[in-house]
Amino acid sequence: MALDLPFLADTFLALLTGIPLALQLAATSIIAGGILAFGLALMRVSGRWWLDGPAQIYIFIFRGTPLLVQIYIIYYGLSQFEMLRHSFAWPFLREAYWCAVIALALNTAAYSAEIIRGGLISVPAGQVEAARACGMSNTTLFRRIVLPLALRQMLPAYSNEIILMTKSTALASTITLMEITGIAAKLISASYRPVEVFICAGAIYLTINFIVARLFAGLEYVSTPERRTPSAMGCASETRKECHV
Amino acid sequence: MGFSPEGWGYDMLAATGMTVSVAISGFLAGGILGCLGAAATFSRFAALRFVAASYTTVLRGIPDLLVIYLFYFGSSSVISTVAAMFGAQGFVGAPAFLTGTLAIGVVSGAYQTQVLRGAVLALSKGEIEAGRAYGMPPFLLFRRIILPQAARFAIPGIGNVWQLVLKESALISVIGLVELMRQAQIGAGSTRQPFSFYLTAAALYLTITFVSGRGFRIAEQRAMRGVRKAV
């Protein structure tokens, strides 16, 4: 089977129009989910059962069921309630876009909460004790010591979650949203040429995820200066100097 | 919902069985691919290592839904071409169970490759060297030393992949296989009670993930018997 380049180019251009929606879905739900996740993580580490328990149940439910079910419950399921259809929330819940955002945000919150919790509990006890010995108040301690250390500890795991979310936006196509996968499915059923469409759509997703991964690698590099090997850096600058001379 | 003759209870349970069977067969197919992939990453030949690396990068970076579409429409177009040779007209759909299994298998194979690779890397080099020093041929070394220990290290990661596969199997509903998700759609459509049906589906998924999660934890405890823990 020879590749049909004009067809590939057309497909690629058509799929590119789906990128803004996919990115918008991912960004909105990651931000909203992140805020929710932060609250859940604090509940988890609070040490009080009446805060920890509900957070655990939430995380268990959202991690234990497929995202597709969650999307369908919100998009199709909620319309079963007459009361809801007459409420203020209906203009949002009627829109596929908002349903997708809500489902994605609720879903990522459950996963991110555990990542943030992992970051929080990885903060060495000695650091916290030292800060207390310096007389820091709880808020200052949290803001200056715990949060920066936790955030950079969780970066690798969080980058995984963001990549997963980028891929999850594909599920929005099942509730009529025309993002990359939605357009791809339409093109496939119109042209019966799944391989070419798949190559184009796959290349787009891979590029997005590659950029996300590089961004996080950069963030990790910036936030952990102590992990860089000084000798290697020194050598690099040495050789550069030598080159100039 | 319910188990009366006009209730949907039995249909939902049967669909749950279908979900479990498509998930298990996809998971096993992925296991085979994962073993091959992990073996390829340790290969002496650069070409094999490259193939394994591209396989895991591409399949983990592309939405599963897209892979499912590719397999469904891809195999359907192959079948349609073959059918056209025999005089059939138009579009012939591929068997959904087989397509679903293959799609899940290929995706989960990429994840299992990484899990198994990590497990083999976690083996202590000294034991492999000791095995070689005894003059064990490679296959015996693999069977007696590498496999039992790698399996132990791989259980938690494999458990994660299983959970992923189980949830991914819900996506197979888009190609028409009547598993739990599709059955819930059918029920929701004909009774106009979407919330009840999707909530039931969610509860059934939750039950499966909970029970199998427990199973993996027990397996892990059994496999880790007698292993000294540093932390």
Side-chain angles (χ1 to χ4, degrees):
Chain A
M1 185 177 66
L3 282 181
D4 178 355
L5 285 178
F7 178 74
L8 273 182
D10 287 346
T11 310
F12 197 73
L13 287 178
L15 289 173
L16 283 181
T17 58
I19 294 179
L21 180 59
L23 291 184
Q24 201 185 342
L25 274 171
T28 323
S29 48
I30 285 167
I31 292 167
I35 296 167
L36 190 56
F38 192 67
L40 283 166
L42 289 180
M43 284 164 79
R44 287 283 278 123
V45 296
S46 68
R48 296 188 180 89
W49 65 268
W50 46 273
L51 285 174
D52 186 16
Q56 269 192 45
I57 293 170
Y58 177 90
I59 291 167
F60 172 66
I61 290 175
F62 277 89
R63 292 208 303 182
T65 52
L67 176 58
L68 192 64
V69 178
Q70 294 161 17
I71 291 178
Y72 278 19
I73 286 184
I74 292 170
Y75 184 63
Y76 297 112
L78 291 183
S79 66
Q80 189 178 326
F81 302 107
E82 190 75 24
M83 197 182 71
L84 211 57
R85 269 184 289 168
H86 298 292
S87 76
F88 70 96
W90 194 240
F92 286 106
L93 293 175
R94 200 177 46 195
E95 293 287 333
Y97 174 78
W98 287 109
C99 288
V101 166
I102 293 168
L104 288 168
L106 292 177
N107 185 271
T108 186
Y111 287 93
S112 312
E114 285 297 271
I115 294 171
I116 297 173
R117 187 177 73 94
L120 289 176
I121 59 175
S122 78
V123 176
Q127 306 262 356
V128 178
E129 281 165 9
R132 281 205 206 286
C134 289
M136 272 193 197
S137 70
N138 274 335
T139 20
T140 321
L141 171 74
F142 191 77
R143 186 166 57 81
R144 285 218 190 131
I145 313 292
V146 175
L147 201 57
L149 286 174
L151 284 181
R152 86 185 186 186
Q153 187 65 39
M154 60 176 247
L155 276 179
Y158 198 60
S159 75
N160 276 344
E161 177 57 24
I162 301 235
I163 290 174
L164 279 175
M165 280 305 284
T166 317
K167 293 198 297 169
S168 298
T169 57
L171 295 192
S173 66
T174 58
I175 52 169
T176 71
L177 285 178
M178 276 304 176
E179 42 64 71
I180 306 166
T181 304
I183 298 174
K186 200 180 78 180
L187 288 176
I188 290 177
S189 53
S191 66
Y192 290 128
R193 293 165 85 167
V195 179
E196 285 101 324
V197 178
F198 177 80
I199 290 172
C200 292
I204 291 174
Y205 278 107
L206 279 178
T207 313
I208 296 174
N209 286 334
F210 180 75
I211 294 169
V212 170
R214 294 317 304 164
L215 274 178
F216 270 89
L219 268 179
E220 205 180 319
Y221 182 79
V222 171
S223 66
T224 52
E226 83 287 357
R227 277 186 212 159
R228 297 173 211 158
T229 41
S231 56
M233 293 279 291
C235 283
S237 52
E238 286 296 334
T239 32
R240 211 176 299 139
K241 255 180 238 157
E242 276 168 21
C243 284
H244 284 296
V245 172
Chain B
M1 215 54 62
F3 288 95
S4 59
E6 64 270 22
W8 290 79
Y10 290 112
D11 293 324
M12 290 297 275
L13 280 185
T16 310
M18 181 54 105
T19 284
V20 172
S21 45
V22 76
I24 288 178
S25 43
F27 183 70
L28 291 179
I32 296 168
L33 281 172
C35 286
L36 291 176
T41 56
F42 292 112
S43 166
R44 169 149 58 98
F45 305 107
L48 277 180
R49 290 200 300 270
F50 177 75
V51 168
S54 344
Y55 169 57
T56 53
T57 315
V58 171
L59 267 297
R60 290 189 305 161
I62 290 177
D64 315 327
L65 191 60
L66 210 54
V67 179
I68 291 171
Y69 282 140
L70 171 78
F71 270 77
Y72 181 64
F73 288 106
S75 50
S76 297
S77 67
V78 169
I79 293 173
S80 297
T81 318
V82 174
M85 283 177 201
F86 290 99
Q89 293 284 314
F91 184 80
V92 183
F97 187 88
L98 189 67
T99 324
T101 301
L102 284 177
I104 290 181
V106 167
V107 174
S108 78
Y111 287 96
Q112 297 197 45
T113 299
Q114 291 295 335
V115 171
L116 295 175
R117 192 179 71 91
V120 172
L121 285 176
L123 291 181
S124 96
K125 234 179 155 60
E127 295 196 28
I128 296 171
E129 281 165 6
R132 288 229 178 88
Y134 271 111
M136 276 193 191
F139 184 73
L140 193 68
L141 183 76
F142 176 76
R143 187 165 63 82
R144 287 219 187 129
I145 314 288
I146 299 177
L147 191 65
Q149 299 197 74
R152 171 189 295 159
F153 292 129
I155 290 176
I158 291 288
N160 279 344
V161 177
W162 162 251
Q163 303 276 4
L164 209 74
V165 162
L166 196 61
K167 288 183 271 172
E168 211 173 84
S169 74
L171 298 183
I172 302 298
S173 62
V174 298
I175 59 173
L177 179 71
V178 185
E179 39 69 79
L180 189 45
M181 196 66 208
R182 182 89 194 118
Q183 185 64 56
Q185 280 173 17
I186 296 168
S190 45
T191 59
R192 302 206 172 277
Q193 291 180 327
F195 189 79
S196 320
F197 272 91
Y198 292 129
L199 199 68
T200 312
L204 286 167
Y205 276 113
L206 205 58
T207 314
I208 310 172
T209 49
F210 179 70
V211 171
S212 52
R214 271 293 155 90
F216 271 103
R217 206 172 306 157
I218 292 168
E220 190 185 330
Q221 275 164 5
R222 270 189 71 85
M224 294 303 274
R225 276 171 316 172
V227 178
R228 220 151 40 102
K229 277 187 208 138
V231 272

